[in-house]
Structure formats: structure tokens, C-alpha cells
Amino acid sequence: MRAQTYLRELLKPFLDEYGLQWTAGTTLEPPRDKRFGDLATNMAFTLSKTAGKNPRQICQDMEQRLKLLGDPRLAMVETAGPGFLNFTLAPAFWQQGILVILEQGDLYGQSDLGGGRRVQVEFVSANPTGPLHIGHGRGAALGDSLARILRFMGHSVTTEYYLNDAGRQMRLLGASVLARYQELLGQHVVFPEDGYKGDYIRGLAQGLLDRDGERLAEWPEQEALDRAREYAMDRILAGIRQDLQDFRVEHQVWFSESDLIREGAVERTLEQLRMDGLAYDQDGALWFASTRYGDDKDRVLRKSDGSLTYLASDIAYHADKFARGFDLVVDIWGADHHGYVGRMKAAAQALGRVPEDLQVILVQLVNLLRAGEQIAMSTRAGEFETLADVCAEVGTDAARFIFLSRKSDSHLDFDLELVKRQTMDNPVYYVQYAHARIHSLLAKAAETGVDLLQPTPEILALLDGEADLELLKSLDQFGDVLVSASATLSPHHLSHYLLDLAGKLHRYYTTHPVLAAGSPELVQARLAMCRAVAQVLRSGLDLLGVAAPQKM
């Protein structure tokens, strides 16, 4: 991040000369081949048309002017290819990063990039019809980590859980629990065809019987169904809240769909769409004219039997979100909702927003394995591994890190046996052990009477080997990774970075003695660099919601 900032400032006068600014197409990044320096830019291509010169000529002009500056931080600048400018920074620049990290501590890498932009992240939002499973866990880790990163990068973030506590699935939950309740009373009942069959339903029925006794058997059917539904939903929701708390996930707002309907928000939204000419009646139903915004067909809002579709409630819900003043709304959904994205983007536009104000992140399924063998799961049949059970077996740290180890729209294999092993094959262990390894080193230093001194530029100058500079350059990239993760709403960039940094630390540790480095000055230099690595590992893990243990 320091390197990017420094070079942008160095190059800014050239942009100012032509009245230009950095654009999305202007890059400043490490070249694929390290022989071409630390960073390279295609800036000359951006300037070419305005300057009336070919990119290579512009690069050569820039190269000469930069060399004349004589900045000691810039070791080399050279023109390459048809118009790229390559930069090599002096070792002292990278060494200086250690002082910055140790001084800033937990604030290192933090940015005001978001400028206080108000963002809402809605995630998990599972129907309260059963315990959270590992698919919910992946979305929970993603949403929570994304909120942490966005806040760290200067956004004002609100996290929210949308309670789908109205509609057919809730009615099926009540019917399923009531049927098991009646079975406990010795009654012969026909279990609902699409009902929930897990053992937890029997547990809920027993709890209902323990609380209310046999009196529900004498109540009118609808009252008994409502009682069973409310009891089951309250119990399940309490479990969901506890599971999320144990998983280190915070939802600041719990928003109820039934409240939305009861307070008339859905009807008001539908009426507004009708007044705006965006909803119309046809064949006894109310339709949303979503094709005006690129959807492949118009969508039903109210069916001919008078019942509302999910879309009607969802549009009203998003109208409420935008009315609360959020600049950006982020929805995290299961991958099976892929076809729903277009109509919700259309809804955002119908509500007066641009499509980019609503970002949808799709989360692919998790294949749960045990020693390479897949575990079959079906929520309705009651055959699934709950998030609580998985965390009890492998730990919250392992579960969160594995969930965040791949891009959210990629399938994820989660092998329970692998993540329990304390070996370098286990990704979360690999990163956490790098942090613990450094703290073990610091403890040993204290035991042997080595004091941790404030490093000076003269001492840090000893870190001039290839492996030293590789680690130092990785530390500098922390801020760039966070910028990328926040801009693309992709926390997996951070987990990949931490794995890479941990790998560099492990390799360095095995090839470069620290306490036995030789001179006291070199010992201090290497200890300072290790402390900086530990700081970045700890900060990065915290943004993923993963602990950074000092002992393992």
C-alpha cells in the first residue's frame, strides 16, 4: 500500500499536466515477471490520446524526468515494451515498512477509502424452520467478514438478518410440529407431505407438550397450528441466534417479514408501483413490469388467488432498506437464487436507484466430507450436519477460515478430518501456526535475555537479502489486498494473502536463524521483521473472525 501510494504521488504531476486522473483502466501493480521490477504501470496508454504522443515516447519522457528527481527511494525506473513503465524501489523503502507497522499496530492497513459510505449487509436470513447448516455457515462467515473489512476500510456498515417468518414454509413448520405433538398423544395422524422430518421436530413437539400439556388437542385446528408454529419458530430462532453468537457473527438488526406485511408496507409499495406505471393487472393477478429494466419477463406480485409472491415482500423490504438511507445494499444469497438477481436489480431501479446500489453475492454449496467421503445432506429430511455440530467438532476458527478460503461462488469441499489435523496441510493451522511460531520465538528471546529494541534504519538495513525483501514486500501488500477485498466484496482475497504470507514466514524461519543470526544487530533486525509479520497476521485473521493464538 505504501508503495502504491508513493508511486501514485510521484506520477500525479504527469496526470495533472494533461488534466487527467487515475481511471479504472490505469493499473499500477506488480509485474508477472519479477525481473521487471516491483511495480509497473500502463499510465502512458491513458495519456497517449490526450498528449498526442505514442505510449513508449511518453514513458521515455517520464523515465528521464523521474531520474532527474534523484529520489533515493526509487532505485530504478525504465521503459518496457510498447509503453509500460517499470519501477524498482530501494531496499530502504521496504525496510521502512517495519517501523510503520510497529508504530501503527492494529491500525496498520486501515483506510478511509469508504468515506463513511453507508452500507447494509444482509446475510444468512434463513427461514426459522430448522437449525443452521453448513451452507448457512459459509454465508455467515462471508457476511460477517465482509462487514469487518468494509468498516476497516472506512465504510459505515449495518448488518441485518431478514426473518422469513411468514408464508408457506412457516405454516409447514407448524403443521409438522403439531403432527408430532399429536403422535405423542397417541393419535393417528397423516404427516404433512412436504413437512419437516428431522429429529429436531420431535424435540420441538415434546417441548410443546411439556409446556402446554394436552390442551392443544382440544383447540380448533387453526389455533393449534398457530400455537405450534409460534412455539417452534421462537425455539428455532433462539437456537439460530445462539449459533451465530458462538460463530462470532453479529447481526445488528433483525427484520421481520411478518411485521412488514402487518404494517402495510407491502401494500403501500405495490400501490406506489402501480401509480408509477410499473405494476399492472392481468388475468386476475398483479404484475411487475420488470422487463422495462432488462428482466427477461414481467413478474407476478399478487397471484389470482390474492396471495402475495416472495417478490412482493422482497421489493417492499428493499424499499425499506433504501428509505433508511443506505448508499449500498449488499444481499448474500444461496447460489440457487441466481435467477432472482435480475428481477431484484429491476426492483432497485423501479425504486429509483441505479442497479449498482444493490449488489448480490451468491454463495455456492458446501460439500461436507469425512476423510474424503461426502456426507449426504437434506434439510427437510432432517439429514444434515448443523453448523453447531461442525463447529463443535472442528472449532469456529477452522470453520470460518475454510468457508472464506475460496471465492463465494465456487464450490467448496470441507473435509472434517483434514481441518482437525494439526499439520501444515491444514490451511487454518498453517496460518495460525505462523503467528504462534513468532510468539514462541519472542518468548524464547525473552528467556535468553534478548531485549526487543526499537529498530533503527541502520539496523533494518541489514535486511537486504532476497528472502528479507520478499517478506517486506508482502507486508506492504496488506493494504492493497484490503482495498481489493472491499472493492470487490470478496474476503477470500485476504485469506489467500494470509496463506501466502504465512508460507513466506515458515520458509524464512527454516532458512534464516533469528536468535542465532550472528550479530546482535541482525538478531534485532530479524526480530523486528517477525514482529511486523505477526502484527499483520493477527490483523488479517481478526478481519476474518479467526483467532490468532500465541501458543499451539
Side-chain angles (χ1 to χ4, degrees), residues 393-405:
E393 182 168 350
V394 305
T396 295
D397 288 337
R400 286 190 66 125
F401 194 92
I402 296 299
F403 286 144
L404 295 168
S405 64

Side-chain angles (χ1 to χ4, degrees), residues 395-429:
T396 295
D397 288 337
R400 286 190 66 125
F401 194 92
I402 296 299
F403 286 144
L404 295 168
S405 64
R406 297 197 66 187
K407 190 176 180 182
S408 63
D409 61 1
S410 300
H411 284 280
L412 176 68
D413 289 335
F414 190 138
D415 194 314
L416 294 168
E417 297 302 321
L418 172 64
V419 299
K420 286 193 295 185
R421 296 177 195 155
Q422 292 197 347
T423 69
M424 294 299 199
D425 294 328
N426 178 351
V428 65
Y429 179 85

Side-chain angles (χ1 to χ4, degrees), residues 524-540:
Q524 287 293 333
R526 290 182 176 176
L527 281 173
M529 182 166 63
C530 287
R531 288 160 58 199
V533 172
Q535 175 63 64
V536 171
L537 288 172
R538 181 167 63 253
S539 295

